[in-house]
Amino acid sequence: MRLPSLPFNRHYRTLAVTVLLLVFTLQLVHVARVYSANWDEAHHLYDGYNIWTKHDYRLNAEVPPLVKLTAALPLLRMHLQVPPDLGKSQGLEAFLDGRLFVFGNGGDRVLFPARMACMLFALLLAVLLYMATQEMFGGIAALAALSLFTFDPLVLAHGALVSTDVGSACFIFGSVYAFYRYSQVPKLPRLLVVGLATGLAMTAKFTGIFVFPMLVLLAGVEALLARSWTVLGKRLMACAAILLCAWVVTWAFYGFRYAPAPGGKELSPSLGPYVASMPNKTNAAELSAVSKFHLLPEGYIWGLANTKKTEWEYTSYFFGRMYRHGPWQYFPVAFLIKSTLPLLFSLALFPFFWLRRQDRHARELCFLLIPVVFYFALVTTSHMDIGARHLMPIFPFLYALAGVTIAHAIVRSRGWAAVAAALLLWQVLTSARSAPAYMAYGNEAWGGPSQVHRYLSDANVDWGQQLKAVKQYLDQNHIQDCWFAYFPDGAVEPSDYGVNCKRLPTGSSLWWFRLPMDVPPVIDGTILISDSDLEGVESGDGPLNWFNPFVGLKPAAVIQDGVYVYHGRFAVPLMAALVDVRKTGDLLKAGQADAALATAQEAVKLAPDSAITQLNLADTLILKQQWGEAFDHYQRAGELARTIRPELEDEDMIPRSEKGMELAESHLHQP
């Protein structure tokens, strides 16, 4: 027995669903127009185009191809300029070529249609949510779930981007829903749909491989509810067939070819050494076995290894502090901050209504809760703590449950119906108030979007999507002389959107992209800083944070809750010193040892309490054979690295200091 049906006929219900999907679409289109390109979109898009046109999967193997191919599909009929290979490493080449590809071909001219293609995943997910909830619980619950989902800020922030999160959520939810339908009517066509959906989940994002254990758990629960070993056997056989089908789909997306590119071209770095360098040797052994027997395409295996490596390497910002690996509380708290209060209240009320029913739909409840519990436990125990967007796959399941709560409230009494209406209206107002800065959304219990940066950063607030708004702000305030620390600088540059501020260094722009910059120790004028850099995501917190002089200052303006504007005179000695550190290396490569030594000494004068500047000077002194001074600076570098957030320093900082001291001391003791 389902919940009561809607009090109006199918035509009105169809109209209501159509209106909600239209509103959802309009909101997503608006986001696609006002957001600038973020960290990942350009290289995802270029890699998709590269796969379509060259059948080459090497450029950006860090994610599977489905979303990238979908994004690039509208570009295939365009006459586009393709940048030449710059001869960089695979990851760096992807970002540099991606930027040249997107902005060399008109920016939004290619990015907007790509976003519209990716928006289809969000729309399909909305339709699947409605269909699944209606089939399980009836029309009232389905409309309520769709209404709440349509105005969810996290979904709206990512639903129209060239990104894997919504696509992954779509096909994980679709796989579970398809398995639910198969378990009702175990026919071959329905089984094939489950296998196809699971394969699409695996090729949308690597977390899609966890659909299979979800289905196995659901098979076990079905057998338990039926109290039948026969049911268990049949469901496990079905799971084996699903896995086989998904495996074939995965190979199909890689052209049924193990090699990542035609002509024997290899990944860079090649798979064997890359897998061997993984921190977890058990994972390395498993992937080596998969590679040895060619069980999956080489590009897919490389991407799995990359996921585990970056999970280990990424730092995490949580409640004003940087961590080498995020605490286990990261995702539970991120969920409580980034979820809307109407959703949280609906979920809190769910047991109150559910336990009062005679027919509690135990089977349906398992199909909604088991994937949520499994996935949530999975991400909570991981170290990829960089954004609530990684929780996206649990939200359609939770909105289905929230829809059931609303439906129960509507049919229970007039008072409860008023509560249900208030929750729905609250969700709409929440979305409207945060538009279009959905990326930085946080609910009212935590102070709203303007306060999220106190607890979370990175894609929870700032993914570099604000350049169009920054350009508008500068034009409206007639600001021409400015400095800008822009989080994705290099993957996207402010000048791509007409923002011509002078560059302040970020971790990526200084050390990885090695962009040109020259920073004085004191700056007069207007300074703009992306939230992720202000919080120290790329540098570290406290004394390690280049932007520590700005922490605690009240900004003159905040753009889309993610870019802070300051006017005045500011001392930035550490920033200037680190730019000098890079200049030291460039001068040494050019054979200008004396100039390099002077630059390294200037960096230490500017930032004497930086392990990086001390180590840089010591290395330069070694080349000049000034052993005594080198020893002193190596010693000081080691002391600083051990005492100022050592877990955030480069892993080789202390070993380099110790080896340098040994080398300098050995020369000092020579006759």
Side-chain angles (χ1 to χ4, degrees):
M1 188 177 84
R2 299 190 302 171
L3 291 170
S5 300
L6 286 168
F8 44 80
N9 64 33
R10 181 171 57 86
H11 298 292
Y12 286 110
R13 186 171 64 215
T14 301
L15 177 62
V17 172
T18 302
V19 170
L20 285 171
L21 291 176
L22 178 60
V23 171
F24 188 44
T25 301
L26 292 175
Q27 292 178 100
L28 292 173
V29 170
H30 182 56
V31 169
R33 289 194 177 280
V34 301
Y35 278 13
S36 58
N38 63 35
W39 247 113
D40 294 334
E41 289 185 289
H43 74 95
H44 284 337
L45 182 55
Y46 180 53
D47 187 46
Y49 188 81
N50 211 42
I51 294 172
W52 278 118
T53 56
K54 299 179 181 178
H55 310 291
D56 188 340
Y57 294 80
R58 296 174 301 149
L59 191 63
N60 178 27
E62 65 180 54
V63 296
L66 172 59
V67 174
K68 297 180 293 186
L69 289 172
T70 303
L73 189 59
L75 311 187
L76 296 181
R77 292 190 176 184
M78 298 182 181
H79 298 288
L80 302 177
Q81 296 179 352
V82 178
D85 192 317
L86 300 175
K88 306 289 185 181
S89 65
Q90 182 174 306
L92 186 56
E93 192 77 42
F95 281 98
L96 294 175
D97 287 354
R99 174 182 169 268
L100 292 174
F101 175 73
V102 168
F103 295 101
N105 287 292
D108 282 347
R109 173 176 171 251
V110 294
L111 186 59
F112 183 75
R115 285 176 167 177
M116 292 298 94
C118 289
M119 185 180 70
L120 296 177
F121 296 123
L123 292 173
L124 177 58
L125 178 55
V127 171
L128 289 173
L129 172 61
Y130 177 80
M131 292 173 59
T133 311
Q134 182 186 41
E135 186 168 346
M136 292 180 181
F137 305 108
I140 297 178
L143 262 186
L146 181 60
S147 299
L148 291 168
F149 183 81
T150 296
F151 296 98
D152 182 87
L154 184 66
V155 176
L156 292 172
H158 296 274
L161 302 182
V162 183
S163 175
T164 58
D165 300 295
V166 174
S168 174
C170 174
F171 293 114
I172 289 176
F173 183 78
S175 299
V176 174
Y177 173 43
F179 191 63
Y180 169 81
R181 301 193 78 243
Y182 167 76
S183 65
Q184 284 186 307
V185 183
K187 300 294 185 181
L188 180 60
R190 292 195 175 194
L191 183 64
L192 293 176
V193 171
V194 185
L196 174 61
T198 303
L200 294 175
M202 290 177 62
T203 52
K205 193 172 182 177
F206 289 118
T207 48
I209 64 177
F210 295 107
V211 168
F212 183 69
M214 290 181 193
L215 299 185
V216 171
L217 286 173
L218 289 169
V221 169
E222 284 238 278
L224 186 63
L225 291 174
R227 298 181 181 180
S228 170
W229 289 103
T230 302
V231 171
L232 178 62
K234 289 181 178 180
R235 293 294 183 269
L236 291 180
M237 289 178 63
C239 287
I242 291 165
L243 180 62
L244 177 62
C245 184
W247 180 71
V248 173
V249 171
T250 301
W251 275 99
F253 271 92
Y254 285 84
F256 293 102
R257 187 186 68 206
Y258 177 75
K265 297 176 182 177
E266 292 189 353
L267 291 154
S268 175
S270 58
L271 181 62
Y274 193 65
V275 169
S277 68
M278 293 175 62
N280 188 313
K281 298 309 174 186
T282 300
N283 293 152
E286 293 167 348
L287 290 182
S288 294
V290 172
S291 172
K292 179 180 179 180
F293 295 103
H294 290 197
L295 297 179
L296 289 168
E298 187 175 11
Y300 197 89
I301 302 170
W302 195 99
L304 287 170
N306 175 266
T307 298
K308 300 305 292 184
K309 282 178 65 69
T310 53
E311 176 186 337
W312 182 258
E313 293 167 356
Y314 281 3
T315 56
S316 177
Y317 174 87
F318 187 65
F319 275 64
R321 185 177 174 86
M322 291 301 302
Y323 294 85
R324 170 55 62 186
H325 305 296
W328 70 266
Q329 302 97 325
Y330 181 91
F331 279 111
V333 173
F335 172 74
L336 292 175
I337 294 173
K338 299 292 287 183
S339 298
T340 66
L341 288 182
L343 172 62
L344 295 177
F345 284 149
S346 297
L347 295 175
L349 288 171
F350 179 82
F352 172 78
F353 288 113
W354 199 257
L355 294 175
R356 283 165 169 73
R357 291 187 57 82
Q358 292 182 348
D359 182 359
R360 295 173 183 169
H361 299 273
R363 182 167 168 272
E364 286 76 11
L365 191 60
C366 289
F367 270 85
L368 294 180
L369 284 179
I370 287 176
V372 170
V373 173
F374 179 87
Y375 190 88
F376 202 89
L378 179 73
V379 297
T380 300
T381 56
S382 76
H383 296 295
M384 189 73 79
D385 298 340
I386 58 174
R389 62 189 178 90
H390 292 297
L391 289 172
M392 195 73 72
I394 72 172
F395 279 92
F397 297 96
L398 295 179
Y399 272 116
L401 292 173
V404 174
T405 298
I406 298 295
H408 276 299
I410 289 173
V411 300
R412 185 172 180 83
S413 67
R414 289 184 179 180
W416 279 111
V419 171
L423 289 173
L424 291 171
L425 179 60
W426 190 356
Q427 184 85 343
V428 175
L429 294 176
T430 289
S431 175
R433 289 179 60 188
S434 59
Y438 300 115
M439 191 76 69
Y441 173 78
N443 65 53
E444 296 86 342
W446 298 87
S450 66
Q451 301 302 311
V452 174
H453 70 97
R454 295 178 180 270
Y455 320 109
L456 306 168
S457 190
D458 208 294
N460 295 299
V461 176
D462 164 36
W463 214 5
Q465 74 281 359
Q466 315 94 341
L467 285 180
K468 291 182 179 180
V470 168
K471 170 64 174 172
Q472 185 178 24
Y473 173 85
L474 294 176
D475 288 347
Q476 289 177 346
N477 291 276
H478 309 289
I479 298 172
Q480 296 180 345
D481 185 16
C482 53
W483 296 77
F484 194 2
Y486 174 57
F487 184 37
D489 199 1
V492 183
E493 296 187 16
S495 59
D496 296 327
Y497 288 91
V499 177
N500 296 311
C501 299
K502 292 182 280 293
R503 175 175 285 118
L504 290 177
T506 66
S508 298
S509 66
L510 182 61
W511 305 122
W512 192 35
F513 293 116
R514 301 187 70 83
L515 301 179
M517 62 186 77
D518 192 7
V519 179
V522 177
I523 294 176
D524 283 300
T526 297
I527 293 180
L528 299 92
I529 307 173
S530 291
D531 177 80
S532 296
D533 290 302
L534 182 66
E535 309 300 350
V537 167
E538 293 192 284
S539 57
D541 53 27
L544 297 180
N545 188 357
W546 312 347
F547 300 95
N548 205 39
F550 297 89
V551 175
L553 292 183
K554 184 177 180 180
V558 182
I559 302 171
Q560 280 192 359
D561 295 312
V563 174
Y564 301 89
V565 183
Y566 303 89
H567 304 299
R569 180 179 176 86
F570 305 97
V572 289
L574 179 57
M575 216 180 295
L578 293 175
V579 172
D580 282 344
V581 169
R582 197 185 77 181
K583 287 181 181 178
T584 301
D586 295 338
L587 290 168
L588 288 173
K589 288 180 181 178
Q592 302 178 40
D594 291 338
L597 178 58
T599 304
Q601 290 170 333
E602 179 62 25
V604 168
K605 289 180 182 178
L606 289 170
D609 294 329
S610 165
I612 296 175
T613 62
Q614 293 286 352
L615 186 61
N616 175 67
L617 177 55
D619 287 341
T620 309
L621 288 165
I622 283 288
L623 295 176
K624 297 290 288 182
Q625 298 186 2
Q626 298 182 24
W627 311 111
E629 290 184 61
F631 180 89
D632 293 339
H633 288 287
Y634 277 128
Q635 187 177 47
R636 180 59 177 155
E639 291 172 355
L640 292 168
R642 288 185 184 90
T643 56
I644 303 177
R645 300 304 306 279
E647 71 277 15
L648 297 180
E649 294 283 12
D650 290 340
E651 293 181 358
D652 64 344
M653 182 73 70
I654 295 174
R656 280 179 60 193
S657 300
E658 292 174 345
K659 289 180 180 179
M661 289 172 63
E662 291 174 3
L663 177 62
E665 191 172 28
S666 67
H667 283 82
L668 284 172
H669 292 160
Q670 287 181 358

